[in-house]
């Protein structure tokens, strides 16, 4: 097992995959499963492992996307629920008693799916401030500066009065929905470039229309024409889903990739 980034697989005696995980250090993470046996689940799983396999990915983004896809495909016994512990905070929404959509940034939990996620709470709040300013939302209803009266944005004529019930919930909620859609993916069309598995190689992700379109690896000579049409022929088609979009948007928003090219 190498001390490199990738995805690992545990097999039982029937050659069934019973667990899939990812790590920035495959060797260290796999070994920890057999040394930190602090729960019944850990003991049970370690006792069933008969073989270990792995795939190097180079990029941590590639590892998370591969892990997510492989768990969905194989549904291993010990992957009860894929945890997104890389991003500890998420953007959530709820409807209050008056019918207004509220936004909030709080710790991620297994029971809720955030619209997007962040490495920490401050990053989430900074992003929410930008959404509030861009879409003329209410700071009260976004959990930024909750008060019993008008919000500061209303005082400077940036909020249209949802905090006072002046703006109808229907028109306010429409802007909130537009903000949420914007939050789900930083750009509707972009090419993401990250490190590959060896020197010179790059991991590429293609986003088209806000959807996870394709991904894969390319050598320097293959990246001379960085156009969607060229990349679609070079990369493998991706399975677009909510989890993949959350992973990608989180990495892009937190600047954890080498480069992003909007188009």
């Amino acid at each position: 097992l190498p001390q490199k980034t990738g995805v690992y697989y545990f097999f039982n005696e029937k050659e069934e995959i019973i667990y899939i995980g990812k790590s920035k250090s495959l060797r260290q993470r796999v070994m920890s499963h057999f040394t930190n046996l602090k729960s019944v689940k850990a003991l049970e799983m370690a006792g069933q492992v008969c073989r270990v396999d792995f795939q190097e990915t180079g990029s941590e983004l590639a590892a998370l996307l591969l892990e997510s896809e492989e768990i969905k495909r194989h549904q291993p016994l010990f992957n009860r629920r894929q945890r997104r512990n890389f991003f500890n905070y998420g953007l959530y929404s709820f409807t209050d008693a008056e019918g207004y959509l509220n936004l909030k940034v709080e710790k991620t939990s297994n029971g809720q799916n955030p619209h997007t996620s962040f490495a920490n709470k401050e990053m989430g709040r900074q992003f929410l401030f930008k959404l509030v300013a861009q879409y003329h939302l209410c700071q009260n209803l976004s959990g930024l500066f909750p008060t019993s009266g008008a919000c500061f944005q209303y005082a400077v004529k940036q909020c249209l009065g949802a905090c006072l019930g002046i703006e109808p919930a229907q028109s306010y909620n429409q802007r909130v929905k537009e903000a949420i859609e914007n939050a789900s993916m930083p750009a509707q069309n972009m090419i993401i470039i990250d490190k590959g598995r060896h020197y010179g190689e790059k991991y590429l992700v293609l986003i088209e229309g806000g959807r996870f379109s394709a991904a894969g690896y390319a050598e320097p000579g293959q990246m001379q024409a960085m156009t969607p049409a060229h990349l679609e022929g070079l990369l493998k088609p991706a399975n677009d889903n909510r989890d993949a979009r959350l992973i990608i948007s989180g990495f892009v928003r937190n600047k954890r990739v080498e480069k992003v090219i909007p188009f």
Side-chain angles (χ1 to χ4, degrees):
L1 288 166
Q3 297 278 17
K4 294 184 178 181
T5 301
V7 172
Y8 59 94
Y9 305 79
F10 287 166
F11 293 80
N12 63 12
E13 60 183 1
K14 297 179 182 179
E15 279 296 296
E16 299 168 332
I17 298 175
I18 59 173
Y19 186 79
I20 298 172
K22 75 93 190 172
S23 179
K24 293 174 70 174
S25 173
L26 286 165
R27 180 177 177 80
Q28 183 176 341
R29 181 67 183 119
V30 169
M31 294 300 293
S32 73
H33 282 285
F34 303 100
T35 55
N36 299 326
L37 303 175
K38 297 180 180 179
S39 68
V40 173
K41 176 184 173 182
L43 282 165
E44 183 182 355
M45 183 175 74
Q48 291 188 30
V49 177
C50 289
R51 184 169 72 86
V52 179
D53 201 355
F54 66 91
Q55 290 190 56
E56 287 185 34
T57 61
S59 162
E60 189 170 11
L61 170 60
L64 274 167
L65 289 173
L66 178 61
E67 178 198 37
S68 177
E69 178 65 22
E70 291 286 75
I71 288 173
K72 288 179 175 61
R73 179 184 303 165
H74 297 286
Q75 298 184 5
L77 175 64
F78 289 96
N79 288 101
R80 302 294 185 186
R81 182 177 180 86
Q82 185 175 8
R83 298 177 181 271
R84 300 186 193 91
N85 55 9
F86 189 86
F87 301 105
N88 296 317
Y89 286 83
L91 176 66
Y92 299 91
S93 62
F94 66 94
T95 303
D96 63 22
E98 285 71 40
Y100 289 91
L101 266 175
N102 287 230
L103 296 173
K104 60 179 179 178
V105 172
E106 63 178 22
K107 271 205 164 186
T108 53
S109 65
N110 290 335
Q112 295 178 291
N113 289 318
H115 300 297
T116 190
S117 49
F118 311 93
N120 55 60
K121 188 173 184 178
E122 185 55 33
M123 285 184 175
R125 284 178 59 84
Q126 289 175 7
F127 177 72
L128 190 50
F129 271 114
K130 292 179 182 178
L131 280 187
V132 167
Q134 182 178 352
Y135 291 92
H136 299 289
L137 303 181
C138 174
Q139 289 184 341
N140 282 5
L141 302 184
S142 300
L144 294 173
F145 295 111
T147 63
S148 57
C151 70
F152 175 76
Q153 291 290 92
Y154 180 74
V156 296
K157 299 183 179 180
Q158 293 297 311
C159 168
L160 305 182
C163 44
L164 299 175
I166 297 174
E167 181 184 11
Q170 184 176 2
S171 62
Y172 180 79
N173 291 349
Q174 181 59 40
R175 292 203 310 282
V176 175
K177 290 175 182 177
E178 291 173 4
I180 290 172
E181 186 175 346
N182 172 277
S184 299
M185 191 64 71
Q188 290 294 298
N189 300 289
M190 59 182 168
I191 299 166
I192 300 167
I193 304 174
D194 207 4
K195 61 183 178 180
R197 296 159 296 187
H198 55 260
Y199 180 77
E201 183 183 68
K202 296 296 181 183
Y203 177 69
L204 305 177
V205 172
L206 178 62
I207 302 296
E208 294 182 293
R211 297 175 62 83
F212 180 26
S213 177
Y217 297 92
E219 299 292 341
Q222 298 175 301
M223 296 186 292
Q224 294 176 352
M226 293 291 284
T227 64
H230 173 71
L231 293 181
E232 284 178 354
L234 178 65
L235 307 178
K236 294 181 180 179
N239 291 321
D240 179 68
N241 56 69
R242 184 183 182 86
D243 288 337
R245 292 188 195 184
L246 277 173
I247 292 168
I248 294 167
S249 64
F251 265 76
V252 172
R253 204 176 307 286
N254 289 283
K255 299 180 180 179
R256 302 191 69 91
V257 294
E258 289 186 352
K259 191 174 183 179
V260 176
I261 305 174
F263 64 89

